[in-house]
Structures are given as C-alpha cells and as structure tokens.
Amino acid sequence: MNRNETLFDRAKAHIPGGVNSPVRAFGSVGGTPRFVSRAQGAYFWDADDKRYIDYIGSWGPAILGHARKEVIDAVKAAADFGLSFGAPTEGEITIAEEICKLVPSIEQVRLVSSGTEATMSAIRLARGFTGRDAIVKFEGCYHGHSDSLLVKAGSGLLTFGNPSSAGVPADFTRHTLVLEYNNVEQLETTFAEIGDSIACVILEPIAGNMNLIKPSAEFLAALRGLTEKHGALLIYDEVMTGFRVALSCAQGLHGIKPDLTTLGKVVGGGMPLAAFGGRADVMGKIAPLGPVYQAGTLSGNPLAVAAGLATLKLVQEPGFYETLSARTAKLAEGLAAAAREAGVAMCTDSVGGMFGVYFSESVPTGYAAVTASDRERFNRFFHAMLAEGVYLAPSAYEAGFVSIAHSEDDIALTIAAARRALARV
Ligand SMILES: Cc1ncc(COP(=O)(O)O)c(CN[C@@H](CN)CCC(=O)O)c1O
C-alpha cells in the first residue's frame, strides 16, 4: 500500500469515512483520496510526495494559490498577538469596511465561520424581517448543510420540499420550496400563487455545486422583479462566486442588487471566515439590534480576518481578474479542443476563476441536463488526469477553480495531460 492508502485506512479508524467533509472521500469517483502533505502556489504534494496541479484550491478559497507569502505572514503576525478574544477587534471593522466598499449592496455585514452559518443566518434573518416562513431554493444549488436547506424537490410544483438527509424532520423542510434553476415560467407561477407568503429566494447566482451552470438574464431579472413585487428578499449566495468570478462578485457581473448576500471561501483566504450582509434596514433586525438571534464564539476570528484582509488586498491588484479570467478561459478552451481532437463528447465553460467540464454534447443549463451527462466517463477522465498529476474536483457535479498562481505553463501542461487522458477514456 502507498502512504495515501495507509493514511486513509488509519483515518477511517477514528473519522467517519476517513474525512471531515464527505466530498473528500472520493465516493463519487472511487479510489483513494490524496492526503495533502504540503502545498505551494498552483500545486500540492500528496503523502507519497507526488505533485499535482491543483484545480480545487480548497474548493475556492485559494484564489492566490497555496501558501501565498503575504497571507501566511499576515496570519503569523496576528497569531503573535493572540488567537481569539471573544471581544471586538479593529481588524473586524477594517474587513467589514472593505466588504461594504467592494460589494455596494452590502451596507452592513456580520462575520461568521462558515458558509453554512452564513446562509442559515441569512434565511433566519429574512424570515424574521418579513414575518414569513416559506423560502425558495433551486434544485442543484447547495447552500451548506443547515436543516431547512437539505431539501429535495417535492412531487408537484407547489409541493414543499422533503428532507434530502436523514435526521432532518419533515417539519423542518415543509416551508422550503425547491424550483428548477433557470425556469422563469415556474418562478412566475409560484409567485403568482404564493408570492406574498415567501420570505426569501436563495440561489447561487452562478451555480457551482451542480458543476458550473450560468443563469439566464431572464431568470435573474424575474428573480429580482418578482421578489421586489411580492416583498420577498433576494439572497445571493456568493460563498463560492464572491470575489471568485469578479471583484464585484456575481452581482456585479449581473448588475443585480440583492437584498442579502452571503460570502465565504475567498473572503477568508483559506481560513474559517464567512459573512452575511446587505440592506441596513434588514441587517438592523439581527441581534443585538433586533429580534433575530445569531452568534458565534469564533466569529470575526483575528487570524481569519488577517488572512481575509491580505487576500482582499491582493485581489484588488490591477489586472488580477483579467489575468485570472483569461487563464481560466484558456484552460477551458484547451480542454474542449483536446476533446474535439479525441472525438470525445466533452465540453467546457468558464467565468472568472471558475470552470466546468461536462461529458455531454453541449454545456448544460440546469440540473436535469447535468445529471444526464456521462458520469462514468468523467470518473475515468478524473483518474486518468490524477495519474498525469492533475487534480480535478472528484465529482462530475462540481466546478473547478484556477488561481492567479497557475502559470501559462501549468495551463499548457494540463491541456497536454488532457490530450493523453482523453485518448484512454
Ligand atoms: C454556494 C455555497 N454556499 C454554501 C456553502 C457551504 O459553505 P461551508 O459551510 O462548506 O463553508 C458552499 C460549500 N461548497 C462546497 C463545495 N461544493 C464545499 C466543499 C465541501 O462541502 O467539502 C457553497 O458552495
């Protein structure tokens, strides 16, 4: 056995499934997870000291590449002054000011420690602000694992959701309606029927948890118009897209002003920091100002704030997103060209530093199309690329991520590896 296999066996003795987050177990693609021993820039090395070009980047946070010196130094410096105080610090003010400057729809922001906390809190706030219980999400969008969001679509259009996880009482999901992403007509019908009882609609404004799926302009316009008309709040879950697709986030690309936004991943630079924020009148309902309770021992943790501030400073460097987007597009186009040359039905898409690889004839526009793609062929491609030293997301239903540390050479090496891999799948 190699060291990854030995470590996986050892991990399973005391950690359920051997991992601290399910997707890491390679359950969807099979095989043995790679245990990271160290990482630097675009690369990580596994327990057998094999190098991989990393296209997960911690599922989005590592937009600067791993172990970026300025971020590491900021965390080290902060650590010398203490790790956590349970009392306010100036750094929390500074990062709140930076987030509000970069995301104009956010007038007030509360820091938390994970995307799940951010979306759970934003939904509770929307319910508290509107006095309504019903919420709307979309099939294929993931917003973390709070009970009211672990829901699969009900049988009919206006039938509320059923739990998608054991341990979630049906009662906890009976206020959650699950609709189809990009389905404008269904959205219009739903709001016509029950719009005045909907507290909020939450969506990934560019989906990344059913692979990369882009919204149509009509869908975005309908979301904003209908929520406004019926007094429901529009929550943009930008945990993945925030500062990933553009400095102004997905909402800046769309020219849409949501009522609330959730952030995570990039905003914490790889440390446990996430946030929810938006309209001041809505945020004014959150404790200690208002009746909606929310709290956290490690919220606004000084080391996480230091990593986030260092990251937000560096992504504002001139040309950062132009370079990142161009590199990511070059990768996506190169992979698609390699598939055409190999006669393999694989296509790609990208936006900012995110990309999607689909084993289908055309780029999917929603969940049903993604699930119709050739997952088995993706799994073979995943392992062929792993053997080539390229680490893609271990699931056909996840997006990939490029960092500013991925060089033109890394992109060229990846495309060359794909040519060899596609000949074998
Ligand atoms: C749009 C969006 N919203 C919320 C979350 C939950 O964030 P966390 O609780 O994992 O920090 C996520 C988490 N994303 C997954 C990647 N598909 C995290 C990886 C994992 O679960 O291990 C997200 O993508």
Side-chain angles (χ1 to χ4, degrees):
M1 287 210 298
N2 66 37
R3 266 191 63 47
N4 289 301
E5 291 163 339
T6 307
L7 287 174
F8 197 31
D9 279 355
R10 204 176 113 206
K12 285 187 272 192
H14 298 288
I15 305 170
V19 292
N20 286 306
S21 197
V23 71
R24 304 176 191 172
F26 275 24
S28 179
V29 292
T32 302
R34 297 314 191 255
F35 281 69
V36 179
S37 59
R38 60 193 167 92
Q40 182 65 47
Y43 319 117
F44 76 75
W45 287 259
D46 72 7
D48 288 309
D49 209 31
K50 176 175 178 169
R51 191 195 83 163
Y52 297 85
I53 303 176
D54 179 15
Y55 287 102
I56 295 187
S58 177
W59 298 97
I63 198 166
L64 298 173
H66 291 295
R68 175 68 182 259
K69 183 176 182 341
E70 295 91 330
V71 178
I72 300 296
D73 289 351
V75 173
K76 283 179 178 174
D80 287 341
F81 292 95
L83 301 181
S84 175
F85 315 116
T89 62
E90 184 177 357
E92 293 161 76
I93 307 169
T94 310
I95 200 167
E97 290 167 343
E98 199 64 9
I99 290 169
C100 294
K101 178 193 85 175
L102 294 172
V103 191
S105 70
I106 299 179
E107 297 169 341
Q108 289 256 314
V109 63
R110 171 63 57 86
L111 303 178
V112 293
S113 300
S114 73
T116 293
E117 262 193 282
T119 58
M120 174 181 70
S121 306
I123 282 170
R124 184 183 309 132
L125 176 58
R127 284 171 160 158
F129 178 78
T130 61
R132 302 173 181 179
D133 294 338
I135 64 173
V136 174
K137 77 174 289 289
F138 297 93
E139 192 166 30
C141 287
Y142 175 69
H143 304 289
H145 61 89
S146 62
D147 286 342
S148 59
L149 289 167
L150 290 179
V151 188
K152 55 179 183 278
S155 52
L157 168 61
L158 289 180
T159 51
F160 283 87
N162 304 306
S164 60
S165 165
V168 176
D171 254 5
F172 282 32
T173 62
R174 67 185 177 86
H175 298 296
T176 307
L177 204 57
V178 182
L179 302 183
E180 185 185 359
Y181 200 79
N182 274 329
N183 187 329
V184 174
E185 187 185 342
Q186 188 185 49
L187 200 61
E188 289 168 342
T189 304
T190 299
F191 269 88
E193 299 273 337
I194 61 167
D196 296 345
S197 66
I198 294 173
C200 64
V201 176
I202 185 168
L203 77 152
E204 291 181 56
I206 297 170
N209 286 286
M210 52 172 148
N211 213 316
L212 170 64
I213 298 293
K214 292 175 179 174
S216 69
E218 298 73 22
F219 182 59
L220 294 173
L223 277 164
R224 184 63 282 184
L226 289 166
T227 47
E228 209 141 26
K229 178 181 173 187
H230 291 272
L233 297 187
L234 177 60
I235 302 177
Y236 261 34
D237 177 0
E238 298 228 40
V239 166
M240 185 184 281
T241 54
F243 310 116
R244 165 59 60 178
V245 297
L247 183 60
S248 59
C249 308
Q251 55 194 271
L253 290 181
H254 296 163
I256 294 274
K257 192 173 181 181
D259 300 300
L260 290 175
T261 298
T262 53
L263 296 169
K265 298 179 191 280
V266 172
V267 78
M271 293 287 281
L273 187 142
F276 64 100
R279 283 168 39 189
D281 62 327
V282 178
M283 293 300 286
K285 295 290 184 188
I286 207 89
L289 289 180
V292 179
Y293 194 68
Q294 185 277 334
T297 302
L298 298 176
S299 296
N301 174 270
L303 276 67
V305 165
L309 279 171
T311 299
L312 291 180
K313 180 167 184 264
L314 290 165
V315 299
Q316 293 180 68
E317 286 185 340
F320 181 91
Y321 287 95
E322 289 76 8
T323 303
L324 182 69
S325 302
R327 293 248 171 94
T328 309
K330 189 167 189 176
L331 171 68
E333 287 152 14
L335 293 175
R340 286 194 296 275
E341 288 157 24
V344 173
M346 181 188 94
C347 53
T348 62
D349 198 2
S350 74
V351 54
M354 273 171 81
F355 66 94
V357 174
Y358 322 90
F359 278 82
S360 55
E361 294 294 342
S362 58
V363 176
T365 56
Y367 183 69
V370 166
T371 52
S373 65
D374 188 343
R375 198 182 117 193
E376 291 315 311
R377 201 166 203 184
F378 168 81
N379 290 353
R380 295 196 297 275
F381 179 67
F382 170 82
H383 282 289
M385 290 293 269
L386 207 56
E388 294 278 350
V390 176
Y391 192 73
L392 299 172
S395 163
Y397 307 133
E398 295 282 358
F401 304 95
V402 176
S403 82
I404 203 69
H406 284 75
S407 66
E408 297 286 348
D409 283 351
D410 294 320
I411 302 299
L413 280 172
T414 304
I415 294 165
R419 281 205 188 89
R420 293 190 291 272
L422 285 161
R424 309 202 298 269
V425 298

